[in-house]
Amino acid sequence: MKQRIELNIEGRQSGRSSSRELRNNKMVPAVIYGALEPANVSIHVNDVIKYNARAYENALMNLKSSDSKLNGKIALFKEVSIHPVTRVPEHVDLIAIDINKPIRVSVEIVLEGKAVGLAEGGLLNIVSRQVEIECLPTAIPESIVVDVTQLGVGDTIHASELNIPAGVKLISRPELTIAAVVEQKEET
């Protein structure tokens, strides 16, 4: 079971001036929706920066708040808006989830091994680095590992060939190409 992260949030006023004031105080305006009544909240900028990383993708967040309607709820980071120049988070969308209901998420694909087709002069072409799955929030895999050692020139791996864990349903098209070893063309 994946570890859960405690995320401190507080209620906030909506509006441009209150959002600007929050940002000046190292807080990021956020909205939470999903399995509860939508609410305007704020999160410390350091928490947003820390948890908006691939290592925390699909991490379950235990919300800690003085608001009893939000305290103890479980959420996922849905989207983080980043300022294009300063690279500071400007807004966060959190989605509250019901731990007992399946959700759809994208999961990273990790390729392992060295394809035999590389020794034959081929190139490994990675087409898709993620697939969409559906499962209970507690069953979200951190990644799906694919062994590419058996791929020769002209061979491909499709989503239907992935080793999907029990309790996880593949939502991406089965014919989605994950990786292929292609013939290296000489430049003319």
Side-chain angles (χ1 to χ4, degrees), residues 152-170:
V153 174
D155 291 342
T156 61
I157 293 180
H158 296 98
S160 61
E161 301 170 60
L162 296 177
N163 188 11
I164 305 291
V168 176
K169 178 181 170 187
L170 180 69

Side-chain angles (χ1 to χ4, degrees), residues 10-71:
E10 289 305 323
R12 68 172 175 93
Q13 298 293 319
S14 61
R16 195 175 281 168
S17 63
S18 70
S19 293
R20 188 177 305 119
E21 186 177 328
L22 282 171
R23 289 184 191 103
N24 288 339
N25 291 319
K26 303 272 186 221
M27 299 297 283
V28 179
V31 64
I32 184 166
Y33 53 88
L36 53 79
E37 189 75 26
N40 292 319
V41 296
S42 62
I43 308 169
H44 196 278
V45 68
N46 291 345
D47 288 340
V48 176
I49 292 169
K50 179 178 180 180
Y51 298 128
N52 186 35
R54 184 169 290 291
Y56 296 102
E57 189 173 49
N58 298 326
L60 300 179
M61 306 282 175
N62 278 340
L63 302 181
K64 297 293 177 201
S65 175
S66 57
D67 185 341
S68 62
K69 290 182 284 193
L70 300 174
N71 193 41

